[in-house]
Amino acid sequence: MGIIRKTLNTLILGGAGGVGGFTFWTRNSKFVPIAADDPIFSSAPYLRNNPNKNPQTKDLCVRKVELSKIKPQLLEKEGEGKLVEAFCAGVWGGIGYAYQRRYLEKKYRNSTTTAHQLWSTPELLSSSYDVGTQITDHFEVVSKTPSSIIVRCGDSPLKTGVRDSDGLFEMGVKINREEGVAEFRLKSVFYKGLGTATAPPMPSHVEFAHRLYTKLWMESAVRNVVM
């Protein structure tokens, strides 16, 4: 929560446009319900790391972009996953993650246990985000298809077992040629892995801040795929 609050204060409340500017900038990013039978809930990482089926804090943010505004080379290789790779790269290498990236780098980057992870902006913008890629000692790619990349979050990827705080974060894209748009998606599912919980892991005020942060990531990521 501390990182989210500081990021929002730095990039939103402290910006020239303030809250009003942020609201206008993110006006096209919308939250929609996640279906109970969403594939993420039957995925191997979710079932393995939430063995007691504890309650989740979950949300899905969508943003539609006209196909005419997207870089042609990404659409030409959509079937190869280049569009979702660029979208993912925009999340981690963009301005929305910049503060958190620097914070984690100062705290966890070293020449031994985390040297293999992605840390610099050029690395984050150029990675293909294959399964096993670790990001700033906080995320690890656990699934990749031509339209979706899912990372595990909540703690260091060096901790491979069930964790007290855990989650999955999916970056996806769906092309609708009839409407002439690409629908970009950011899906979050957080849960307590260890023990038994009776309530979702995030209180309402933290969930609200997380949703603002998600909108920031969405707009930052979309900038990496449009002309």
Side-chain angles (χ1 to χ4, degrees), residues 20-28 63 95 216 219-220 223:
F22 176 79
T23 301
F24 180 79
W25 184 45
T26 62
R27 68 192 184 284
N28 295 315
R63 169 80 149 83
I95 188 174
L216 177 64
E219 296 304 324
S220 176
R223 288 174 62 178

Side-chain angles (χ1 to χ4, degrees), residues 124-140:
L124 294 165
L125 288 174
S126 62
S127 176
S128 56
Y129 292 95
D130 297 322
V131 172
T133 301
Q134 296 182 358
I135 306 160
T136 63
D137 203 36
H138 201 64
F139 304 92
E140 180 175 10

